[in-house]
Amino acid sequence: MAESFEEALRLFKESMARGGYKEAARIKEQYSLPNDMLQDAVEAAFRKNIELGEYSVAAELGKTYGLDPRIVKEAAARSFQRKMDSEQYKAAAKCAKEFDLPKSMVQDAASRAFRKSMDFGLLKNAAKIAEEFDLPITLRMEAAQAAFDMYVSSGMYSKAIKLARKYGLPEDVIRAVERRR
């Protein structure tokens, strides 16, 4: 426990230098340390993470401590690209959205995440992705129809009807399933 403001500042800087970012954030909060006094330590940690290829951590630090938005976006864009290259499409879409990268990047990653979920039969996940990232209605309906068909073929009529109503599938389809129950 720090005895003084100067001691708290020293503890913050030490935590940042050794990569204890959560501890540093707790110290900052606990002692109400102003960002401008922390700038050197944060910038050093940011650079260190960039050098280590930890772009997500660097971007998060930059955003949290108010570093230059341009360099924060650069780190986020590199993190995004790394996620795309490793086919972590949903994580890439979240990164692009969180750091306000171009909408086309969000949409590209989210569309790939949607398609990957559909290919693996993760229909509910695909539908959630379509909603979360505001993908075109045609994709939402594609996932809803596939999930509906799966529920019907599995005899899960109540779930099928609930899903059909949620996504506005045609009433005649809903009535046909209701007759089966």
Side-chain angles (χ1 to χ4, degrees), residues 151-162 177 180-181:
Y151 286 147
V152 169
S153 67
S154 300
M156 301 167 83
Y157 303 125
S158 294
K159 282 191 172 199
I161 292 167
K162 184 177 175 183
V177 172
R180 286 182 167 183
R181 287 202 286 182

PDB file of all heavy atoms in Angstrom, residues 151-162 177 180-181:
ATOM      1  N   TYR A 151     -34.225 -27.366 -36.418  1.00  0.00           N
ATOM      2  CA  TYR A 151     -35.143 -27.616 -35.302  1.00  0.00           C
ATOM      3  C   TYR A 151     -36.314 -28.492 -35.732  1.00  0.00           C
ATOM      4  O   TYR A 151     -36.698 -29.427 -35.021  1.00  0.00           O
ATOM      5  CB  TYR A 151     -35.680 -26.297 -34.731  1.00  0.00           C
ATOM      6  CG  TYR A 151     -34.699 -25.509 -33.905  1.00  0.00           C
ATOM      7  CD1 TYR A 151     -34.736 -24.118 -33.911  1.00  0.00           C
ATOM      8  CD2 TYR A 151     -33.743 -26.129 -33.101  1.00  0.00           C
ATOM      9  CE1 TYR A 151     -33.846 -23.369 -33.145  1.00  0.00           C
ATOM     10  CE2 TYR A 151     -32.847 -25.386 -32.339  1.00  0.00           C
ATOM     11  CZ  TYR A 151     -32.909 -24.014 -32.359  1.00  0.00           C
ATOM     12  OH  TYR A 151     -32.044 -23.276 -31.605  1.00  0.00           O
ATOM     13  N   VAL A 152     -36.868 -28.208 -36.891  1.00  0.00           N
ATOM     14  CA  VAL A 152     -38.001 -28.995 -37.382  1.00  0.00           C
ATOM     15  C   VAL A 152     -37.580 -30.440 -37.614  1.00  0.00           C
ATOM     16  O   VAL A 152     -38.256 -31.377 -37.181  1.00  0.00           O
ATOM     17  CB  VAL A 152     -38.598 -28.376 -38.663  1.00  0.00           C
ATOM     18  CG1 VAL A 152     -39.597 -29.318 -39.320  1.00  0.00           C
ATOM     19  CG2 VAL A 152     -39.242 -27.037 -38.340  1.00  0.00           C
ATOM     20  N   SER A 153     -36.439 -30.635 -38.264  1.00  0.00           N
ATOM     21  CA  SER A 153     -35.993 -32.007 -38.549  1.00  0.00           C
ATOM     22  C   SER A 153     -35.635 -32.768 -37.270  1.00  0.00           C
ATOM     23  O   SER A 153     -35.674 -33.989 -37.248  1.00  0.00           O
ATOM     24  CB  SER A 153     -34.808 -32.010 -39.518  1.00  0.00           C
ATOM     25  OG  SER A 153     -33.675 -31.444 -38.913  1.00  0.00           O
ATOM     26  N   SER A 154     -35.333 -32.030 -36.198  1.00  0.00           N
ATOM     27  CA  SER A 154     -35.023 -32.670 -34.913  1.00  0.00           C
ATOM     28  C   SER A 154     -36.267 -32.829 -34.041  1.00  0.00           C
ATOM     29  O   SER A 154     -36.170 -33.328 -32.922  1.00  0.00           O
ATOM     30  CB  SER A 154     -33.993 -31.837 -34.139  1.00  0.00           C
ATOM     31  OG  SER A 154     -32.814 -31.720 -34.865  1.00  0.00           O
ATOM     32  N   GLY A 155     -37.397 -32.363 -34.534  1.00  0.00           N
ATOM     33  CA  GLY A 155     -38.631 -32.462 -33.763  1.00  0.00           C
ATOM     34  C   GLY A 155     -38.752 -31.405 -32.671  1.00  0.00           C
ATOM     35  O   GLY A 155     -39.590 -31.528 -31.779  1.00  0.00           O
ATOM     36  N   MET A 156     -37.962 -30.389 -32.751  1.00  0.00           N
ATOM     37  CA  MET A 156     -37.992 -29.311 -31.749  1.00  0.00           C
ATOM     38  C   MET A 156     -38.890 -28.189 -32.267  1.00  0.00           C
ATOM     39  O   MET A 156     -38.445 -27.076 -32.569  1.00  0.00           O
ATOM     40  CB  MET A 156     -36.564 -28.817 -31.469  1.00  0.00           C
ATOM     41  CG  MET A 156     -35.656 -29.920 -30.960  1.00  0.00           C
ATOM     42  SD  MET A 156     -33.916 -29.462 -30.982  1.00  0.00           S
ATOM     43  CE  MET A 156     -33.797 -28.573 -29.449  1.00  0.00           C
ATOM     44  N   TYR A 157     -40.174 -28.502 -32.339  1.00  0.00           N
ATOM     45  CA  TYR A 157     -41.127 -27.607 -32.979  1.00  0.00           C
ATOM     46  C   TYR A 157     -41.305 -26.279 -32.242  1.00  0.00           C
ATOM     47  O   TYR A 157     -41.407 -25.228 -32.878  1.00  0.00           O
ATOM     48  CB  TYR A 157     -42.473 -28.316 -33.137  1.00  0.00           C
ATOM     49  CG  TYR A 157     -42.363 -29.599 -33.928  1.00  0.00           C
ATOM     50  CD1 TYR A 157     -42.821 -30.796 -33.401  1.00  0.00           C
ATOM     51  CD2 TYR A 157     -41.777 -29.605 -35.190  1.00  0.00           C
ATOM     52  CE1 TYR A 157     -42.705 -31.977 -34.129  1.00  0.00           C
ATOM     53  CE2 TYR A 157     -41.655 -30.778 -35.920  1.00  0.00           C
ATOM     54  CZ  TYR A 157     -42.122 -31.950 -35.383  1.00  0.00           C
ATOM     55  OH  TYR A 157     -41.996 -33.114 -36.104  1.00  0.00           O
ATOM     56  N   SER A 158     -41.340 -26.313 -30.929  1.00  0.00           N
ATOM     57  CA  SER A 158     -41.513 -25.059 -30.167  1.00  0.00           C
ATOM     58  C   SER A 158     -40.362 -24.097 -30.429  1.00  0.00           C
ATOM     59  O   SER A 158     -40.577 -22.897 -30.622  1.00  0.00           O
ATOM     60  CB  SER A 158     -41.613 -25.349 -28.674  1.00  0.00           C
ATOM     61  OG  SER A 158     -42.790 -26.066 -28.410  1.00  0.00           O
ATOM     62  N   LYS A 159     -39.139 -24.637 -30.440  1.00  0.00           N
ATOM     63  CA  LYS A 159     -37.975 -23.785 -30.728  1.00  0.00           C
ATOM     64  C   LYS A 159     -38.041 -23.250 -32.151  1.00  0.00           C
ATOM     65  O   LYS A 159     -37.693 -22.097 -32.407  1.00  0.00           O
ATOM     66  CB  LYS A 159     -36.668 -24.555 -30.506  1.00  0.00           C
ATOM     67  CG  LYS A 159     -36.288 -24.687 -29.069  1.00  0.00           C
ATOM     68  CD  LYS A 159     -34.874 -25.202 -28.946  1.00  0.00           C
ATOM     69  CE  LYS A 159     -34.460 -25.139 -27.495  1.00  0.00           C
ATOM     70  NZ  LYS A 159     -33.034 -25.188 -27.323  1.00  0.00           N
ATOM     71  N   ALA A 160     -38.465 -24.097 -33.079  1.00  0.00           N
ATOM     72  CA  ALA A 160     -38.570 -23.687 -34.478  1.00  0.00           C
ATOM     73  C   ALA A 160     -39.562 -22.538 -34.623  1.00  0.00           C
ATOM     74  O   ALA A 160     -39.282 -21.543 -35.310  1.00  0.00           O
ATOM     75  CB  ALA A 160     -38.976 -24.872 -35.346  1.00  0.00           C
ATOM     76  N   ILE A 161     -40.697 -22.671 -33.964  1.00  0.00           N
ATOM     77  CA  ILE A 161     -41.732 -21.631 -34.051  1.00  0.00           C
ATOM     78  C   ILE A 161     -41.245 -20.333 -33.418  1.00  0.00           C
ATOM     79  O   ILE A 161     -41.423 -19.242 -33.981  1.00  0.00           O
ATOM     80  CB  ILE A 161     -43.040 -22.122 -33.387  1.00  0.00           C
ATOM     81  CG1 ILE A 161     -43.631 -23.259 -34.230  1.00  0.00           C
ATOM     82  CG2 ILE A 161     -44.036 -20.980 -33.230  1.00  0.00           C
ATOM     83  CD1 ILE A 161     -44.731 -24.030 -33.540  1.00  0.00           C
ATOM     84  N   LYS A 162     -40.621 -20.439 -32.249  1.00  0.00           N
ATOM     85  CA  LYS A 162     -40.103 -19.249 -31.570  1.00  0.00           C
ATOM     86  C   LYS A 162     -39.085 -18.526 -32.458  1.00  0.00           C
ATOM     87  O   LYS A 162     -39.131 -17.311 -32.618  1.00  0.00           O
ATOM     88  CB  LYS A 162     -39.457 -19.664 -30.247  1.00  0.00           C
ATOM     89  CG  LYS A 162     -38.964 -18.521 -29.416  1.00  0.00           C
ATOM     90  CD  LYS A 162     -38.396 -19.014 -28.090  1.00  0.00           C
ATOM     91  CE  LYS A 162     -37.792 -17.879 -27.315  1.00  0.00           C
ATOM     92  NZ  LYS A 162     -37.169 -18.329 -26.067  1.00  0.00           N
ATOM     93  N   VAL A 177     -45.719 -25.977 -39.084  1.00  0.00           N
ATOM     94  CA  VAL A 177     -45.027 -26.594 -37.950  1.00  0.00           C
ATOM     95  C   VAL A 177     -45.966 -26.710 -36.759  1.00  0.00           C
ATOM     96  O   VAL A 177     -45.942 -27.722 -36.043  1.00  0.00           O
ATOM     97  CB  VAL A 177     -43.750 -25.791 -37.579  1.00  0.00           C
ATOM     98  CG1 VAL A 177     -43.142 -26.304 -36.288  1.00  0.00           C
ATOM     99  CG2 VAL A 177     -42.736 -25.852 -38.713  1.00  0.00           C
ATOM    100  N   ARG A 180     -47.914 -29.808 -36.806  1.00  0.00           N
ATOM    101  CA  ARG A 180     -47.138 -31.027 -36.509  1.00  0.00           C
ATOM    102  C   ARG A 180     -47.077 -31.322 -35.012  1.00  0.00           C
ATOM    103  O   ARG A 180     -46.876 -32.455 -34.632  1.00  0.00           O
ATOM    104  CB  ARG A 180     -45.707 -30.902 -37.028  1.00  0.00           C
ATOM    105  CG  ARG A 180     -45.575 -31.010 -38.490  1.00  0.00           C
ATOM    106  CD  ARG A 180     -44.108 -30.927 -38.818  1.00  0.00           C
ATOM    107  NE  ARG A 180     -43.844 -31.313 -40.170  1.00  0.00           N
ATOM    108  CZ  ARG A 180     -42.633 -31.393 -40.699  1.00  0.00           C
ATOM    109  NH1 ARG A 180     -41.585 -31.112 -39.956  1.00  0.00           N
ATOM    110  NH2 ARG A 180     -42.470 -31.747 -41.933  1.00  0.00           N
ATOM    111  N   ARG A 181     -47.187 -30.281 -34.206  1.00  0.00           N
ATOM    112  CA  ARG A 181     -47.028 -30.466 -32.753  1.00  0.00           C
ATOM    113  C   ARG A 181     -48.061 -31.345 -32.172  1.00  0.00           C
ATOM    114  O   ARG A 181     -49.098 -31.611 -32.401  1.00  0.00           O
ATOM    115  CB  ARG A 181     -47.065 -29.142 -32.009  1.00  0.00           C
ATOM    116  CG  ARG A 181     -45.840 -28.326 -32.194  1.00  0.00           C
ATOM    117  CD  ARG A 181     -45.623 -27.339 -31.121  1.00  0.00           C
ATOM    118  NE  ARG A 181     -46.549 -26.202 -31.209  1.00  0.00           N
ATOM    119  CZ  ARG A 181     -46.525 -25.190 -30.390  1.00  0.00           C
ATOM    120  NH1 ARG A 181     -45.674 -25.144 -29.417  1.00  0.00           N
ATOM    121  NH2 ARG A 181     -47.339 -24.192 -30.516  1.00  0.00           N
TER     122      ARG A 181
END
